[in-house]
Amino acid sequence: MKLALIGFGTVGRGAYDILKDRQELFEKTVGPMEIAYVVASDRSRNTLELEIDEPVVTAKEYDKVLEEVDCVAEATGAMDMAYEYMRRALEKGVGVVTANKACVSAHYEELVALSEKTGAPFLFEAAVAGGIPVLTPLRALCLQNEIEDVKGILNGTCNYLLNAMFKEGADYKDTLALCQKLGYAEQDPTDDVEGYDTRRKLHLLIEMAFGHVDGDAIPTRGIAQIDQSVVAYLKSQNKKVKLVASAKPAEGGIEAVVEPVIFDGGHSLAILPDAINQVNVKGSWVGDLAFTGPGAGKEPTGNAVVADLVAAATKSAMPLLKRGDVKLAPIRGRYFVAKELEGDFVDRVEEGFTYTKDMAREELLKALDEKTFFARLED
Ligand code: HSE
């Protein structure tokens, strides 16, 4: 297979290194995986040409690239430009592999429809939970099972940050800067800590497992409001906080939410170290499954890109199910709020922190401002 790598940042480089390292083995097994072009920005073209042997081109030459390759691996992290790269490839019947969760989430229906129309593979394993093979098995699972529950930790940066704060009392800002240095965080880390990155990934899981929803409408709260006083109090109670994404069928649609959850003890999501992610999936026939592994970083995410390229080369990808629209159902829960509140919904107040009774999430939001940390208590 002839391919083009678009973008040569963290993920692009990871995929490139693996493709080069496994070149001979691929040739003997799945056939040659030839990097025919690397598509770079005008700014980085010259320096990249000095660094790698493959032809480096820019967007201006993309038509020529599409004439010659079977598949493109898009790893730009961009939005409009990435969409154009993907749309044009799929329209032409050229396969697309991408790590770009923001772009796939924003254009999911259109890109999937294009792939169905032209028969070109559209694969985005690297877009959800970094290095964990979860979308590939989920495609197959969806054919055989009704999916009854999806729950997980989908952002490596938040997991790393919360672990460091709870274990070592680390400083929020310093640790976030470290996550950027380690290649975990998004270009704008607000996307990580406000939960938007998690929301995009949950959106893709929902599209695959349940049906079409407006991804931006999934209720989302991140961890940006957490501070040392909350951490110290919860630690004294032997509790932990994780940013959790969950979705399950409910009356009137799908209950889907991204928010911090307080766990006590050894729940499998509570004990995930470093930037590890986990996706728990319940299927009607198979039962409970857990997919665990590195959720971010150059090599793991590059590995997921290469896995999709191999699937494209071997034409072994499972189809995506066509599904209709589903509604987002209202969310209820018991909550911890980092502030003293009054009202019928209050169960108790301890050391200035409020525990609520089971209540509608919407009602809680009315009683809060944007700056107050809150978290759902584990069911
Ligand atoms: N910023 C993302 C994370 C990268 O921290 O999980 C992987 O999608």
Side-chain angles (χ1 to χ4, degrees), residues 8 29 62 72 86 113 116 141 148 198 217 219 232 270 272 327 334:
F8 214 70
T29 52
Y62 194 52
V72 298
M86 292 195 233
E116 278 165 3
L141 282 170
E148 295 174 351
T198 300
L272 293 179
K327 282 209 170 91
R334 290 178 304 119

Side-chain angles (χ1 to χ4, degrees), residues 58 68 73 84 89 93 99 108 114 128-129 163 193 201 210-211 228 236 240 247 286 291 300 327 334 345 358 363:
T58 65
E68 291 181 35
E84 283 304 313
Y108 184 88
L114 268 178
V128 177
N163 276 333
V193 296
K201 293 165 177 168
F210 302 119
Q228 283 300 348
S236 75
K240 273 183 185 163
V286 70
F291 301 91
K327 282 209 170 91
R334 290 178 304 119
F345 58 82
D358 181 60
E363 287 306 307

Side-chain angles (χ1 to χ4, degrees), residues 67-348:
E67 286 298 329
E68 291 181 35
V69 302
D70 308 292
C71 192
V72 298
E74 189 282 325
T76 62
M79 195 62 182
D80 296 347
M81 188 94 172
Y83 164 68
E84 283 304 313
Y85 280 131
M86 292 195 233
R87 182 186 61 75
R88 284 169 62 188
L90 290 172
E91 272 175 359
K92 223 175 149 33
V94 172
V96 169
V97 166
T98 183
N100 195 326
K101 51 253 158 144
C103 190
V104 180
S105 170
H107 301 282
Y108 184 88
E109 279 195 301
E110 184 194 347
L111 295 173
V112 169
L114 268 178
S115 147
E116 278 165 3
K117 192 172 151 198
T118 62
F122 176 45
L123 303 167
F124 43 93
E125 179 65 79
V128 177
I132 307 175
V134 59
L135 301 192
T136 303
L138 188 59
R139 281 177 187 247
L141 282 170
C142 287
L143 299 180
Q144 290 159 225
N145 292 258
E146 291 308 313
I147 304 300
E148 295 174 351
D149 199 16
V150 174
K151 185 183 271 187
I153 290 180
L154 304 177
N155 184 272
T157 301
C158 288
N159 204 55
Y160 193 96
L161 191 58
L162 290 169
N163 276 333
M165 288 180 83
F166 272 78
K167 239 166 96 183
E168 300 129 31
D171 177 72
Y172 179 94
K173 270 194 184 154
D174 291 350
T175 314
L176 187 54
L178 177 62
C179 287
Q180 288 176 282
K181 212 170 129 198
L182 290 168
Y184 297 159
E186 297 300 301
Q187 272 164 15
D188 177 359
T190 312
D191 282 1
D192 295 292
V193 296
E194 296 286 4
Y196 306 137
D197 178 76
T198 300
R199 178 168 75 186
R200 290 167 189 144
K201 293 165 177 168
L202 179 64
H203 176 216
L204 298 184
L205 292 169
I206 292 172
E207 291 283 350
M208 293 174 70
F210 302 119
H212 176 61
V213 297
D214 172 7
D216 291 347
I218 298 169
T220 298
R221 184 84 162 200
I223 59 161
Q225 295 81 2
I226 202 164
D227 64 22
Q228 283 300 348
S229 72
V230 173
V231 173
Y233 169 75
L234 290 174
K235 267 179 87 168
S236 75
Q237 308 292 307
N238 287 322
K239 310 251 189 231
K240 273 183 185 163
V241 175
K242 295 282 172 169
L243 185 66
V244 175
S246 53
K248 62 177 180 213
E251 224 177 285
I254 297 293
E255 268 177 20
V257 63
V258 173
E259 61 191 2
V261 172
I262 294 177
F263 292 96
D264 45 9
H267 191 288
S268 71
L269 296 180
I271 58 173
L272 293 179
D274 305 323
I276 299 297
N277 283 192
Q278 182 166 306
V279 189
N280 296 338
V281 178
K282 184 172 187 177
S284 53
W285 291 106
V286 70
D288 289 304
L289 294 168
F291 301 91
T292 313
K298 180 183 166 194
E299 284 91 4
T301 316
N303 188 72
V305 168
V306 175
D308 274 351
L309 286 169
V310 171
T314 54
K315 301 188 175 25
S316 59
M318 290 284 159
L320 283 169
L321 281 192
K322 276 203 182 82
R323 297 186 184 274
D325 291 356
V326 285
K327 282 209 170 91
L328 290 168
I331 306 290
R332 295 189 67 83
R334 290 178 304 119
Y335 293 92
F336 164 92
V337 183
K339 178 182 192 175
E340 214 167 308
L341 292 176
E342 285 176 9
D344 290 348
F345 58 82
V346 173
D347 179 53
R348 65 187 195 280

